[in-house]
Amino acid sequence: MEFTFTQDQIAFRDSVSRFLMTEAPPEMLREVWDTDAGRSPELRRKIAEQGLTGLSVPEAEGGLGLGDVDWALMTQELGYYAIPDSLIDAAYIAAGMLAALPEGHAARGEWLPRIVDGSARIAVGHPVNPLVADAHLADLLLPHATPAGLELHALPAAAVKVETERSIDASRRLCRVTWQPSAATRIAEAAAGQAIWNQALERGALGVAGQLVGLAQHMLDMTVDYAGQRKQFGKPIGAFQAVKHHLADVFTAIEFAKPVLYRAAAALASQDASASARIAHAKLVCGEAALLAARKGIQVHGAMGYTWEVDLQMFMKRAWALNAAWGDRAFHQARLADALLADQAPLGPGATFH
């Protein structure tokens, strides 16, 4: 089995990286954090102009119709630059949920084109997340109701009550949402809605896993740079073997996490029966890499990485927050255990490419 990215996918990733490097430097992120909304309409507009909001929207609704593997690259870049925006929730998760509705459905026809042009913010309230990200700014909310399965509802902002909650990550704006389900708000019955919500969970967890890899890589790059500049006993601290070991551990963790992430994305894209287990594995491994990068980064920085003045704390706090989003460690460990301990589970070297 050979898995490589196409030249177009690599070019896409590089172009996104160059765009975000220019438009979202750390000093801009700090300015956005200090605003009441915590979001930059100007950055969102530029993201939409680049076509990034329409990646998952079908071509019939004006999007690019790209898949999960493309998002595995995209989410790493969003994580690397710690973009303070709910782009993934709207352009990847919500777009997939609305695209799963039958052709001609009113909600699909109304909201997918607005995702493409960037004029709509959509918040997704999956039961695995007790709080809803960016609900305070959402034009549309997709909450769940559980009378006999997970129904899918769609409500405008005026139909919900939103209470903001604080997060350790100042750029992650979380809300508690109160609303009343009705036949008028229901856009998918429990049978169809359950499948849509299951897919949303997989995409949400995969999106977070990709961001965690990007965050880990940025924290490693920052720490390497600091180790090359900070001097002790007349030489850069990066010259000392103990520091090299810290950095090597993080590098190894990232490189081992990437293929797990890509395999999970490929499984989801092909609707492989093992997709849930592979995504759970990716969420765990990518989370471990990000947490290790944060811990080692703080050690190399001499604990000053905690302080507000150092950019490391921005990425570290995002990693801590995202590690529990779309299913915490216990949730995904249980999902992975169910797959591994199932009867006739394909285990061992011979099942590597089962």
Side-chain angles (χ1 to χ4, degrees), residues 25-40:
E27 54 269 22
M28 187 278 285
L29 300 183
R30 289 177 178 271
E31 293 177 1
V32 174
W33 279 23
D34 289 336
T35 63
D36 291 336
R39 298 292 175 261
S40 169

Side-chain angles (χ1 to χ4, degrees), residues 73-98:
L73 293 173
M74 174 72 169
T75 53
Q76 287 182 69
E77 299 306 319
L78 294 174
Y80 188 89
Y81 295 99
I83 299 303
D85 196 278
S86 56
L87 176 65
I88 294 176
D89 287 8
Y92 184 38
I93 302 170
M97 297 172 72
L98 293 170

Side-chain angles (χ1 to χ4, degrees), residues 84-350:
D85 196 278
S86 56
L87 176 65
I88 294 176
D89 287 8
Y92 184 38
I93 302 170
M97 297 172 72
L98 293 170
L101 298 173
E103 293 185 9
H105 194 288
R108 172 175 176 153
E110 178 182 1
W111 291 100
L112 284 179
R114 293 190 60 185
I115 292 177
V116 174
D117 63 25
S119 63
R121 289 182 179 271
I122 302 179
V124 180
H126 195 283
V128 77
N129 293 321
L131 301 175
V132 182
D134 279 16
H136 65 305
L137 295 178
D139 302 292
L140 180 74
L141 289 95
L142 300 178
H144 66 278
T146 57
L150 285 182
E151 297 178 344
L152 177 59
H153 291 252
L155 295 95
V160 300
K161 177 183 178 182
V162 175
E163 300 175 74
T164 58
E165 298 280 349
R166 298 189 65 181
S167 170
I168 190 173
D169 175 13
S171 68
R172 184 166 172 77
R173 302 304 172 95
L174 301 174
C175 305
R176 196 173 300 278
V177 176
T178 305
W179 62 287
Q180 186 63 42
S182 68
T185 64
R186 186 188 306 115
I187 61 174
E189 300 286 348
Q194 184 69 59
I196 293 174
W197 281 115
N198 289 345
Q199 186 80 347
L201 171 60
E202 307 302 355
R203 287 188 163 186
L206 187 67
V208 167
Q211 290 181 82
L212 288 167
V213 170
L215 287 163
Q217 186 64 59
H218 199 144
M219 287 186 283
L220 175 61
D221 292 346
M222 294 174 66
T223 305
V224 169
D225 184 63
Y226 177 81
Q229 297 181 33
R230 176 74 166 89
K231 291 186 177 181
Q232 190 72 24
F233 306 112
K235 62 175 65 176
I237 62 173
F240 296 109
Q241 190 175 41
V243 174
K244 291 180 180 179
H245 285 171
H246 285 319
L247 302 178
D249 288 344
V250 178
F251 177 82
T252 302
I254 294 172
E255 291 305 306
F256 272 81
K258 286 180 180 179
V260 179
L261 172 68
Y262 300 150
R263 182 63 182 91
L268 183 59
S270 63
Q271 298 182 341
D272 193 310
S274 67
S276 294
R278 295 189 183 280
I279 291 171
H281 185 199
K283 179 66 162 52
L284 292 168
V285 173
C286 296
E288 289 172 358
L291 295 180
L292 180 67
R295 187 169 70 252
K296 298 295 187 180
I298 292 172
Q299 287 180 282
V300 174
H301 278 77
M304 65 180 293
Y306 278 113
T307 63
W308 183 261
E309 291 76 12
V310 179
D311 288 342
L312 177 67
Q313 56 90 16
M314 302 167 63
F315 301 88
M316 172 186 69
K317 291 173 182 175
R318 175 68 63 85
W320 289 349
L322 288 183
N323 193 49
W326 290 99
D328 58 15
R329 292 183 58 79
F331 176 82
H332 288 290
Q333 285 173 341
R335 293 215 304 167
L336 188 57
D338 288 343
L340 294 176
L341 301 178
D343 293 338
Q344 298 179 343
L347 301 176

Side-chain angles (χ1 to χ4, degrees), residues 6-24 43 46-47 49-52 55 64 66 70 73-78 80-81 83:
T6 66
Q7 292 183 350
D8 288 343
Q9 289 171 322
I10 297 299
F12 161 73
R13 180 200 64 191
D14 293 343
S15 66
V16 170
S17 180
R18 289 192 297 269
F19 166 72
L20 295 178
M21 182 189 304
T22 303
E23 301 296 339
L43 177 60
K46 292 179 179 179
I47 288 174
E49 289 177 350
Q50 294 293 316
L52 302 183
L55 293 181
L64 298 177
L66 300 184
D70 302 290
L73 293 173
M74 174 72 169
T75 53
Q76 287 182 69
E77 299 306 319
L78 294 174
Y80 188 89
Y81 295 99
I83 299 303

